[in-house]
């Protein structure tokens, strides 16, 4: 592929998860410009996952929302690609057994002019913690008993118990700071008009068309050489769900960056000197979630028959153009909690057919975006061959997610980008009884206990055992069928420089520039 460079993967102990370290310069930049980065210009992005809200307290699309939220918000601290934490809105912090104290950066203001201080931090964290808010990030702060503004620049978190993952959470959505004044003024409409302290200020959001943001001329952060950030004058995020259109727009310069392209599209850009592709280790993990709250998949034997009917490699060859890995869960082969002894159900059509003692009719939901409908068609054929009667229903993403949250489905195809900042962010939302994305409606106390054990310690050996046991439990019960992990390189116009990546491949654009 054109300019395709393979990254090395670093395994980090302690509270950090699998963290990627590219062969590019420190900070995660995909490539470094030869001279001084240029300022100005408009970056246009092709984005396939339009957010449902720009309020980080309600962000639910874990694999994509932060790309957009990072335009408008800063968190209390940042986590570098090597797993180390760095100051952001908090200049320093101190952890004791059951307290965490932050010293805040002074002189920072929200985009509406509201002062960022300890009272603002308390208001933000209390809002997430308040059960009445129903925040999707409440579980991230579950160990926080109280938040105290000690003085204008000091915040203390009192904990119910030691939490080795709390800094990870506060470096991301749960620690993103929103203007309390804007929340009060906008009420329930706040999510359509974000006000943070981040590098860009909100301009406009036209649903299903585009979102735009302007340079924050008063941004507190500076580049390493002391120059002002951000460098770009404007960012436009165009919502384009069709992969072929995304690829064409990138090839012709209509967009300079895309969130994700499936392999059958990015391989067509091979040899284009204007395009740079870098394998940062991100994989798109496709899966089928089964609704265990009702027939037929409340029956373990039917779930086992479903799993045995699936030829995962055959689906990957078609849906990912051969550019994929096979893994038994969200764990990639380089993750510290990956265990080669774990394996999904073997493809065994005869066993699947024998297990179906009565007719079983199901509907498989899929998003209206390639390759999901094709995957649903392949599933329909494979399942039909063993005796399932299968219909597929192709929906817009939000409609599909709404159905799944209500457990109004039988089986559903979805995808998650992996690895994430910590395995707790991969497993807890989907497989704990109270998880925000518990599509399957699981109430498995054994699995809850394993995941709580993994989350509650920083002992790597203990965490590894708990996560391996949790994966073994998920596989044994066939709650989901994990399909394939499609490769997902960072694909951009070569003229775009300075894109900094989070560990899980989501961007920060404060240092980005266009070599016009």
């Amino acid at each position: 592929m054109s300019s395709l460079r393979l990254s090395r993967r670093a395994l980090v102990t302690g509270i950090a998860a699998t963290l990627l370290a590219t062969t590019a310069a420190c900070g995660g930049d995909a490539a470094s410009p030869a001279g001084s980065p240029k300022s100005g210009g408009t970056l246009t992005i092709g984005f396939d996952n339009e957010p449902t809200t720009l309020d980080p307290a309600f962000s639910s699309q874990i694999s994509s929302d932060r790309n957009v939220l990072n335009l408008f918000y800063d968190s209390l601290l940042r986590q570098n690609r090597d797993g180390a934490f760095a100051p952001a809105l908090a200049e320093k912090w101190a952890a004791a057994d059951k307290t965490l104290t932050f010293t805040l950066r002074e002189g920072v203001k929200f985009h509406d002019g509201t002062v960022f201080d300890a009272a603002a931090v308390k208001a933000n964290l209390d809002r997430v913690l308040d059960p009445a808010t129903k925040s999707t990030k409440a579980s991230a702060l579950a160990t926080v008993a109280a938040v105290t503004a000690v003085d204008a620049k000091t915040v203390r978190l009192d904990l119910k118990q030691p939490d080795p993952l709390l800094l990870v959470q506060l470096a991301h959505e749960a620690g993103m700071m929103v203007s309390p004044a804007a929340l009060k003024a906008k009420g329930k409409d706040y999510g359509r008009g974000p006000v943070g302290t981040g590098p860009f200020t909100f301009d406009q959001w036209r649903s299903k068309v585009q979102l735009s943001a302007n340079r924050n001329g008063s941004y507190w952060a500076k580049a390493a050489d002391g120059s002002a950030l951000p460098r770009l004058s404007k960012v436009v995020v165009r919502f384009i769900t069709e992969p072929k259109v995304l690829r064409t727009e990138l090839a012709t310069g209509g967009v300079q960056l895309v969130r994700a392209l499936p392999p059958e599209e990015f391989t067509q850009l091979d040899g284009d000197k204007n395009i740079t592709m870098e394998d940062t280790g991100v994989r798109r993990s496709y899966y089928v979630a089964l609704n265990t709250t009702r027939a037929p998949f409340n029956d373990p034997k039917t779930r086992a028959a479903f799993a045995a009917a699936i030829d995962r490699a055959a689906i990957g060859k078609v849906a990912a153009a051969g550019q994929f890995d096979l893994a038994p869960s969200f764990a990639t082969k380089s993750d510290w909690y990956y265990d080669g002894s774990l394996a999904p159900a073997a493809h065994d059509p005869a066993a699947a057919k024998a297990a179906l003692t009565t007719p079983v009719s199901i509907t498989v939901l899929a998003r209206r975006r390639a390759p999901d409908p094709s995957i649903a068609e392949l599933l329909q054929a494979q399942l039909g061959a063993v005796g399932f009667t299968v219909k597929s229903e192709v929906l817009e993403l939000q409609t599909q997610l709404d159905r799944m949250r209500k457990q109004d489905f039988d089986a559903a195809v979805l995808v998650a980008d992996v690895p994430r900042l910590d395995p707790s962010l991969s497993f807890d939302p989907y497989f704990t009884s109270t998880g925000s994305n518990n599509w399957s409606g699981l109430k498995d106390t054994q699995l809850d206990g394993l995941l709580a054990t993994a989350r509650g310690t920083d002992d790597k050996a203990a965490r590894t055992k708990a996560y391996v046991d949790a994966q073994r439990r998920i596989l044994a019960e066939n709650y989901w069928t994990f399909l394939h992990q499609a490769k997902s390189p960072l694909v951009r116009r070569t003229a775009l420089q300075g894109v900094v990546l989070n560990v899980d491949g989501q961007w920060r654009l404060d240092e980005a520039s266009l070599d016009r």
Side-chain angles (χ1 to χ4, degrees), residues 14 19 75 120 136 158 162 207 232 303 312 399 405 408 429 436 460 499:
L19 300 167
S75 49
T136 58
D158 294 302
S207 294
L232 297 166
R303 297 198 301 268
R312 299 155 66 242
T399 303
R405 288 193 182 99
D408 180 21
S436 58
K460 188 178 180 184
V499 178

Side-chain angles (χ1 to χ4, degrees), residues 174-191:
M176 287 182 173
M177 294 292 110
V178 170
S179 166
L183 279 173
K184 183 176 181 180
K186 298 185 179 186
K188 61 183 179 62
D189 296 326
Y190 173 81

Side-chain angles (χ1 to χ4, degrees), residues 234-316:
K234 188 166 187 170
V235 175
V236 176
V237 182
R238 293 174 56 195
F239 301 121
I240 304 171
T241 58
E242 175 54 51
K244 286 182 172 57
V245 177
L246 280 169
R247 188 247 305 159
T248 300
E249 289 286 347
L250 187 66
T252 59
V255 302
Q256 294 85 46
L257 177 66
V258 296
R259 189 189 79 86
L261 277 180
E264 64 267 26
E265 299 301 332
F266 71 66
T267 52
Q268 295 186 53
L269 298 172
D270 186 29
D272 187 337
K273 66 181 181 180
N274 294 311
I275 304 295
T276 294
M277 289 184 278
E278 181 188 9
D279 186 350
T280 61
V282 174
R283 296 294 182 263
R284 310 213 74 209
S285 183
Y286 285 88
Y287 62 86
V288 184
L290 304 180
N291 181 2
T292 68
T293 68
R294 70 184 192 189
F297 293 122
N298 57 352
D299 180 358
K301 292 182 180 179
T302 307
R303 297 198 301 268
F306 183 99
I310 305 305
D311 186 341
R312 299 155 66 242
I315 290 174

Side-chain angles (χ1 to χ4, degrees), residues 13-16 143 161-166 168 336 422-424 449-467:
T13 58
I15 65 173
T143 59
Q161 61 196 49
D163 186 350
L165 296 178
L166 186 55
V168 174
W336 55 264
D422 185 85
S424 64
L450 289 168
L451 292 174
T453 297
R455 187 174 59 250
T457 179
D458 60 359
D459 183 286
K460 188 178 180 184
R463 297 195 81 205
T464 300
K465 182 180 185 306
Y467 278 120

Side-chain angles (χ1 to χ4, degrees), residues 394-413:
V394 179
L395 304 170
E396 297 300 325
L397 176 61
Q398 193 54 49
T399 303
Q400 180 181 353
L401 294 180
D402 288 344
R403 290 268 301 273
M404 293 176 70
R405 288 193 182 99
K406 297 173 184 176
Q407 271 83 50
D408 180 21
F409 75 104
D410 298 320
V413 177

Side-chain angles (χ1 to χ4, degrees), residues 284-290 306-307 310-313 315-316 325-331 343-345 375 379 412 414-416 418 426-427 430-431 470-476 478-485:
R284 310 213 74 209
S285 183
Y286 285 88
Y287 62 86
V288 184
L290 304 180
F306 183 99
I310 305 305
D311 186 341
R312 299 155 66 242
I315 290 174
D325 302 322
L326 290 178
S329 76
F330 282 137
I375 292 174
L379 290 171
L414 269 179
V415 62
V418 293
S426 294
F427 290 97
Y430 301 103
F431 296 107
Q471 292 171 81
R472 185 174 288 112
R473 176 72 177 173
I474 293 165
L475 291 168
N478 293 298
Y479 291 138
W480 285 15
T481 294
F482 288 89
L483 299 175
H484 60 279
Q485 296 179 352

Side-chain angles (χ1 to χ4, degrees), residues 303-457:
R303 297 198 301 268
F306 183 99
I310 305 305
D311 186 341
R312 299 155 66 242
I315 290 174
K317 287 176 183 177
V318 174
Q323 298 284 323
F324 68 95
D325 302 322
L326 290 178
S329 76
F330 282 137
T332 67
K333 293 181 180 179
S334 296
D335 283 327
W336 55 264
Y337 58 97
Y338 178 86
D339 188 311
S341 70
L342 297 175
H347 179 221
D348 190 342
K353 194 168 187 177
L356 293 180
T357 56
T358 59
V360 176
S361 298
I362 63 170
T363 298
V364 177
L365 304 186
R367 180 183 177 182
R368 195 183 305 280
R369 178 196 62 181
D372 300 37
S374 296
I375 292 174
E377 290 177 5
L378 292 165
L379 290 171
Q380 190 172 10
Q382 293 178 2
L383 293 164
V386 304
F388 284 92
T389 300
V390 186
K391 294 191 301 182
S392 62
E393 192 172 351
V394 179
L395 304 170
E396 297 300 325
L397 176 61
Q398 193 54 49
T399 303
Q400 180 181 353
L401 294 180
D402 288 344
R403 290 268 301 273
M404 293 176 70
R405 288 193 182 99
K406 297 173 184 176
Q407 271 83 50
D408 180 21
F409 75 104
D410 298 320
V413 177
L414 269 179
V415 62
D417 288 357
V418 293
R420 291 182 176 170
L421 306 161
D422 185 85
S424 64
L425 302 182
S426 294
F427 290 97
D428 287 14
Y430 301 103
F431 296 107
T432 59
S433 298
T434 58
S436 58
N437 295 345
N438 181 10
W439 314 126
S440 295
L442 303 181
K443 299 292 182 182
D444 186 330
T445 55
Q446 181 179 339
L447 186 54
D448 284 341
L450 289 168
L451 292 174
T453 297
R455 187 174 59 250
T457 179

